[in-house]
Amino acid sequence: MASRIVFSNHPSLLSSRRRPHTSSRPLLVTSAATSNQKLSTAVATTSNISLKPASQVPQNPSPSSPPTWRAIQGSDNWQNLVHPLHPLLTSEILRYAELVNSCYKAFDLDPSSKRYLNCKHGKSTMLRDVGMPSAGYELTKYIYATPDSNIPTQFGERCSRWIGYVAVSTDEASSRLGRRDILVSFRGTVTNTEWITNLMSSLTPARLDPNNPRPDVKVESGFLSLYTSEDTTSRFNSGSCRQQLLSEISRILSKYKNEEEVGITLAGHSMGSSLALLLGYDIAELGLNLAGSGTEVPITVYSYGGPRVGNSAFKARCEELGVKVLRVANVNDPVTKMPGVFFNEGLELPWISSSSCYAHVGVEVSLDFFKMRNPACVHDLDAYIAWLKSGCKRKVRKEGDDVFSKVRDYLASQKSDYSWWSALWQNGGRHGGELVQSPRV
């Protein structure tokens, strides 16, 4: 069931703010636009990135000046950085994608393991153990989520499982990045009940602000359930995914309240990008990112292969609150077309209310790749990363194991007598292929 979260009387937790509404059209990046930038030679590692704090930038910088970290994080909706894709922005897209990918690499899918459905490694060594010793972040908390599904599945599937982590950039990395970066990284869908959660497509009021429920702001019920449900029997965590995150982010913001340059980055793939967007909206709606002086800590969401999360009112409210979202999406990826395949922001019918339609939030970086021999790669985060690293060439050379192959093998290994799951999986795959014909066809 959904959890109940109790807030103190701190004004920043109960604030309800309005800003001038701004909107911008999605910016699309085609393979032609990005390949002209020679991205394969421009991609930098974390140690090569050097972004300036806003305080060190001249009042009237020249057009050729390197962008500030705030611009890279979307302060002006990535104007002139997406089309064509700027090398520094490409570096950040890849850097955060690798940090999200670390969640997949560290997730334990071995039913015989003591850490089954949890992280294989301790916080102090996790990034090193997955091959990212120079990531420049210190992990502060592991995050767990509980799918709240009434559909019966194999034993133990309704328990909480590790979904990602909260981390803070080190002093050295903060110097390079131009700010103290508070990062939350989410993995995507892996287990059966998570897939079922993804298939829930009814809109329901978010009601995350106890001071102003905003019933017109609606989100997908499955994502909201995953965000707010809790497992009281878990030995790894207490409270819902939401409670864990808000508590930890509040603690970190308080710790670094005297630092001038601080930013919040939320990154996720697939289902994880939905949680990242819900969290970004939640933080901003509650005013947790407002410093004591009234200054605002910027919130940026990096979404990889993410579905739609809410309706048009949700999109408008995110924009009003200043939550910046960069959606990296393969045009052949079915997940980015859902939910709302038929009822979405592109539907203009007088008898259909916009509050009943799903809408994407933010600026889109549109990729275009497809492998006939391995159609699953259209949604694989490894394939997203490899395509960007290759300079956006059509032939993708994947690095490491295929995440979808791992998930497929995991699902096949589960002993279940529920024929509904097999039919559901096959039906989803069949219709998914029908929904994503390449624009070139």
Side-chain angles (χ1 to χ4, degrees), residues 9 39 68 83 146 173 197 212 229 240 300 307 321 339 382:
N9 292 324
L39 297 180
T68 66
H83 190 77
T146 307
T197 296
N212 190 342
S229 298
S240 65
T300 304
L321 291 169
D382 272 331

Side-chain angles (χ1 to χ4, degrees), residues 26-31 34 82 85 93 268-270 273 302-308 325-338 360-370 377-381 383-385 387-388 392 436 439:
L27 300 176
L28 304 183
V29 178
T30 63
S31 57
T34 49
V82 173
L85 199 56
I93 291 173
H269 172 243
S270 190
S273 70
Y302 283 82
S303 165
Y304 302 91
R308 297 183 181 93
V325 182
L326 190 67
R327 293 191 306 105
V328 184
N330 179 7
V331 297
N332 303 297
D333 185 349
V335 175
T336 64
K337 311 295 190 296
M338 301 176 183
H360 272 307
V361 181
V363 173
E364 181 177 292
V365 175
S366 182
L367 313 182
D368 188 352
F369 60 86
F370 180 79
C377 87
V378 297
H379 185 61
D380 188 11
L381 183 57
Y384 271 69
I385 293 171
W387 199 78
L388 284 163
C392 304
V436 273

Side-chain angles (χ1 to χ4, degrees), residues 171-296:
D171 291 343
E172 182 182 357
S174 298
S175 178
R176 292 194 301 268
L177 296 173
R179 85 280 187 187
R180 182 74 63 178
D181 189 27
I182 301 171
L183 168 68
V184 183
S185 179
F186 297 97
R187 65 168 176 82
T189 313
V190 174
T191 64
N192 290 2
T193 44
E194 291 168 358
W195 281 106
I196 296 168
T197 296
N198 284 359
L199 292 171
M200 297 178 185
S201 58
S202 60
L203 284 165
T204 186
R207 301 183 186 275
L208 294 179
D209 183 356
N211 191 50
N212 190 342
R214 299 186 183 277
D216 59 318
V217 175
K218 299 179 180 181
V219 296
E220 198 259 3
S221 58
F223 299 145
L224 183 64
S225 170
L226 188 66
Y227 184 58
T228 59
S229 298
E230 64 179 304
D231 175 16
T232 56
T233 65
S234 175
R235 61 189 177 94
F236 291 100
N237 66 285
S238 61
S240 65
C241 174
R242 183 193 185 205
Q243 290 171 318
Q244 298 166 57
L245 287 164
L246 295 183
S247 174
E248 181 65 5
I249 290 172
S250 297
R251 184 190 70 80
I252 296 172
L253 284 171
S254 177
K255 179 179 180 179
Y256 295 104
K257 62 183 178 181
N258 294 325
E259 291 199 9
E260 184 177 353
E261 304 283 353
V262 179
I264 298 173
T265 306
L266 316 173
H269 172 243
S270 190
M271 174 192 69
S273 70
S274 303
L275 292 175
L277 182 52
L278 277 175
L279 175 60
Y281 163 71
D282 200 5
I283 293 171
E285 189 70 272
L286 295 175
L288 294 182
N289 61 323
L290 287 178
S293 60
T295 58
E296 193 172 273

Side-chain angles (χ1 to χ4, degrees), residues 56 64 111 127 176 190 280 346 370 397 426:
Q56 297 179 10
S64 60
L127 290 175
R176 292 194 301 268
V190 174
F370 180 79
R397 296 185 62 186
Q426 293 175 13

Side-chain angles (χ1 to χ4, degrees), residues 383-436:
Y384 271 69
I385 293 171
W387 199 78
L388 284 163
K389 282 185 175 180
S390 69
C392 304
K393 298 175 182 177
R394 290 185 181 179
K395 293 183 178 179
V396 178
R397 296 185 62 186
K398 287 176 53 53
E399 298 178 2
D401 296 330
D402 187 332
V403 172
F404 261 70
S405 296
K406 287 183 178 180
V407 174
R408 180 192 59 206
D409 294 341
Y410 164 74
L411 292 174
S413 69
Q414 301 304 298
K415 296 180 180 179
S416 175
D417 296 329
Y418 302 111
S419 58
W420 62 267
W421 173 249
S422 177
L424 184 65
W425 180 265
Q426 293 175 13
N427 186 59
R430 180 169 63 253
H431 289 291
E434 295 169 357
L435 293 172
V436 273

